[in-house]
């Protein structure tokens, strides 16, 4: 695997020197101070050793040949190491854009006097990290456990349990896992930081996003309200305009009809002024009635006169009848006497009758009639005493004639009286006709008055109707103004769509309640729209979308980081488990071989490694007295039990025992996970002859797995090497390398 190494200007190697490692065991021999350890250091150096102490120098200039009397000091020191890569085992864990597809891998490191240092892999300059990465792929750890410098054989024994663990991990090839673990932990830390950063950013934009979301929701709601409002406006305005137009037309028609009716009523009212007054008719009536009454009174007087005449004649008739009766019964002489007396009686009766005729006083007439009747009665008495004597037949005849004439008179009077009475009757009926005429005129006037007042009422009614309709018209006109204002207001709220109502055909009958309900809805929507901020928020929406996208991006980022974080955590957990498992397995494997080698070295006894957890006692910051146990990482304890000895503490081992234990452990570790090569610088220095043989046996075993480069003064060790390099200090003051034969080597070594 390891093919060769070339030193140029490194430490005592002033000139270019090359060593080839073609055999399992190569020994480097030479006298003290010739530069053997410098070769070992050159290997450490080229593989990336950073500790100046382990290179036995203070500064990088100590690594460059200092110069001699003959040779000057160069500006730089360079070491190149060549590995075989036919089986292409070398690899990088990350893509470096450096091809490793070669049969050889040449790693070179140069150091300059000014302190600068460069690394190359097959001529390409790389970082130290890349060298470590490349070497770990072939199990060459950076801890240098496979290069045991002079006096460092017991390094494992004297190291702390944690250092031991690191060395063993490195030897077990767990360093790559450790790198992976560290890298994962670094990535985890970065993820946590990024996550924090992303979350901070999200938290920062959250209130703004919330605000924008609310605004956009508002604007979307406003949009939908506006759409609703637009449709409602079209519906309402169409109906309202239809309503206004119809109502106005209807009211105008109504008013013109009413006005027509009013003018008819008014003109008919004016005709009532020409009617005859009732008072005049009454005066006329009274005049006519009085005339009739006068006439009737006149006729009545004449009737009364006739009645008196009739009574007088009736009295005469009665007298004549009684005379007739008396004369019929009396003698003739008596009649003569009687005639004389009768003559005076008639004369005095005539006087009384004349007085009756003249009198108009009824009482006087009655007393005169009484006086006449008295006279008649006294005459009758005289007659009976026989004082009256008349010629009987003549007298009787005369009397009868007188009675007939008087009866004739009476019937004449009766005729005349009935005629007068008829006249009175006619006049009475004329009078009552006049009254009834007046009454009927009165009642006809009443009717007309009623008609008049009815018409007046009608007029008032019409006027108030007209006023009412005029009021309605002005209210419709007000509504028309409101309508226009509504359109203006609406155009601000919904733009030109406000005119959509004009395209809406409206044949349906207008339901006023429906219209009121629409108007109410309209107002409600307007208020809602105003409360939502009215205007559309396109800019706001754009900003919201941008912020949302940003937030979603951050959310996605956060999720991605969260995912990768949990993946990393899984990897870390997994890696830790692998390390733990491999470490424990490795330690178990090492223990087996360690025990074997230990027994070989000491002819018995017992030795083993133990994985322990170190707990460090730490002082608390607050209270110096209070202490607490802090669990630390696991480490490795070494237990030894020498045969026939009770010694168990490493500290109590002799130098040789210590050396043998170290070698046994070192070889055990190396055999479990063999590195490509192992460099042993005088590890065998403290061994006696018997132990040197055992050491030699172990070298041979070990060389089956790893190439061995041993720096030695030990003859036994030299005998196990196939190639021997002798190092000598030349006359020019620089070290020189040359292959030597065994015998020569034994000589050189001394
Ligand atoms: P030993 O058998 O005693 O261990 P060694 O062969 O291992 O000896 P080294 O320790 O390799 O010897 O070499 C040490 C020698 O290298 C010293 O003499 C020292 O002066 C020389 N040396 C170290 N650094 C330089 C340098 N920068 N320039 C010149 N010579 C140096």
């Amino acid at each position: 695997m390891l093919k060769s190494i070339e030193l140029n200007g490194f430490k005592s190697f002033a000139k270019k020197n090359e060593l080839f490692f073609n055999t399992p065991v190569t020994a480097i021999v030479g006298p003290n101070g010739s530069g053997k350890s410098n070769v070992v250091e050159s290997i450490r150096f080229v593989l990336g050793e950073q500790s100046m102490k382990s290179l036995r120098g203070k500064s990088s200039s100590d690594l460059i040949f200092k110069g001699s009397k003959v040779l000057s000091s160069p500006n730089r020191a360079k070491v190149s190491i060549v590995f075989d890569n036919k089986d292409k085992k070398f690899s990088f864990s990350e893509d470096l854009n450096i091809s490793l597809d070669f049969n050889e891998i040449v790693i070179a490191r140069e150091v300059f006097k000014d302190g600068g240092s460069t690394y190359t892999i097959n001529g390409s300059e790389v970082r130290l990290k890349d060298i470590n990465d490349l070497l770990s792929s072939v199990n060459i750890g950076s801890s240098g456990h496979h290069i045991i410098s002079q006096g460092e054989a017991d390094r494992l024994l004297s190291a702390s349990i944690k250092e031991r663990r690191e060395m063993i991990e490195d030897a077990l090839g767990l360093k790559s896992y450790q790198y992976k673990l560290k890298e994962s932990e670094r990535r985890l830390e970065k993820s946590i930081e990024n996550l924090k950063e992303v979350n901070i950013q999200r938290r920062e934009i959250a209130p703004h996003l919330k605000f924008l979301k609310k605004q956009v929701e508002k604007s979307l709601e406003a949009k939908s309200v506006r759409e609703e409002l637009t449709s409602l406006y079209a519906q309402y305005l169409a109906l309202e305009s239809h309503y206004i137009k119809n109502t106005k037309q209807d009211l105008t028609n109504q008013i013109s009809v009413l006005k027509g009716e009013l003018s008819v009523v008014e003109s008919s009212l004016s005709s009532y002024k020409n009617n005859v007054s009732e008072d005049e008719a009454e005066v006329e009536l009274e005049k006519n009635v009085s005339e009739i009454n006068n006439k009737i009174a006149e006729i009545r007087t004449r009737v009364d006169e006739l009645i008196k005449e009739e009574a007088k004649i009736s009295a005469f008739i009665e007298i004549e009848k009684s005379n007739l009766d008396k004369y019929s019964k009396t003698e003739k002489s008596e009649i003569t006497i009687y005639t004389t007396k009768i003559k005076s009686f008639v004369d005095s009766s005539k006087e009384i009758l004349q007085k009756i005729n003249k009198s108009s006083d009824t009482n006087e007439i009655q007393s005169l009639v009484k006086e006449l009747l008295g006279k008649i009665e006294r005459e009758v008495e005289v007659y009976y005493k026989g004082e009256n004597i008349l010629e009987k037949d003549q007298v009787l005849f005369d009397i009868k004639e007188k009675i007939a004439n008087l009866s004739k008179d009476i019937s004449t009077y009766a005729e005349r009286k009935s005629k007068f009475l008829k006249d009175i009757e006619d006049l009475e009926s004329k009078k009552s006709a006049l009254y009834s005429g007046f009454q009927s005129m009165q009642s006809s006037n009443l009717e007309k008055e009623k008609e008049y007042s009815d018409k007046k009422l009608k007029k008032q009614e019409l006027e108030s109707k007209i006023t009412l309709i005029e009021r309605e018209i002005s209210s419709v006109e007000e509504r028309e103004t409101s309508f226009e204002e509504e359109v203006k207001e609406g155009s601000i709220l919904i733009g030109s769509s406000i005119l959509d109502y004009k395209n809406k055909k409206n044949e349906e009958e207008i339901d006023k309640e429906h219209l009121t309900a629409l108007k109410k809805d309209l107002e409600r929507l307007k208020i809602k729209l105003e409360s939502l901020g009215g205007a559309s928020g396109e800019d706001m929406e754009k900003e919201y979308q941008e912020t949302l996208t940003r937030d979603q991006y951050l959310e996605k980022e956060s999720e991605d980081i969260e995912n990768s974080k949990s993946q990393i955590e899984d990897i870390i957990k997994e890696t830790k488990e692998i390390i733990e498992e491999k470490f424990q397995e490795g330690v178990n494997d090492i223990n087996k071989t360690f025990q074997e080698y230990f027994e070989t070295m000491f002819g018995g006894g017992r030795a083993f490694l133990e994985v322990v957890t170190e707990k460090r006692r730490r002082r608390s910051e607050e209270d110096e007295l209070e202490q607490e146990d802090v669990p630390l990482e696991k480490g490795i304890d070494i237990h030894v039990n020498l045969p026939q000895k009770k010694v168990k503490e490493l500290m109590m081992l002799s130098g040789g025992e210590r050396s043998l234990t170290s070698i046994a452990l070192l070889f055990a570790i190396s055999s479990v996970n063999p590195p490509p090569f192992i460099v042993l610088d005088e590890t065998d220095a403290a061994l006696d002859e018997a132990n040197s043989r055992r050491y030699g046996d172990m070298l041979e075993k070990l060389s089956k797995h790893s190439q061995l480069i041993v720096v030695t003064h030990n003859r036994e060790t030299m005998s196990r090497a196939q190639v021997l390099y002798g190092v000598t200090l030349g006359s020019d003051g620089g070290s020189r390398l040359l292959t030597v034969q065994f015998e020569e080597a034994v000589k050189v070594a001394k």
Side-chain angles (χ1 to χ4, degrees), residues 292-347:
I292 290 168
N293 280 347
N294 288 344
K295 274 185 191 165
I296 290 171
E298 208 177 300
I299 295 167
R300 276 207 194 284
T301 314
R302 293 176 76 177
V303 169
D304 284 347
E305 279 170 8
L306 282 174
I307 290 168
K308 277 177 204 168
E309 207 64 35
E310 252 181 344
K312 207 165 78 185
I313 294 168
S314 294
F316 281 135
I317 291 170
E318 285 304 313
I319 294 165
E320 291 304 322
K321 274 183 179 172
S322 69
N323 283 340
L324 187 61
D325 194 35
K326 201 169 85 183
Y327 283 123
S328 325
K329 288 166 187 174
T330 57
E331 302 289 322
K332 236 177 181 173
S333 61
E334 284 175 321
I335 292 170
T336 317
I337 303 157
Y338 184 69
T339 307
T340 330
K341 276 196 176 176
I342 234 155
K343 201 155 167 18
S344 75
F345 168 69
V346 169
D347 289 342

Side-chain angles (χ1 to χ4, degrees), residues 125-142:
E125 196 166 326
V126 294
R127 300 162 297 177
L128 170 64
K129 185 178 173 288
D130 305 326
I131 302 280
N132 287 334
D133 186 23
L134 183 72
L135 291 173
S136 72
S137 71
V138 290
N139 201 24
I140 300 173
S142 59

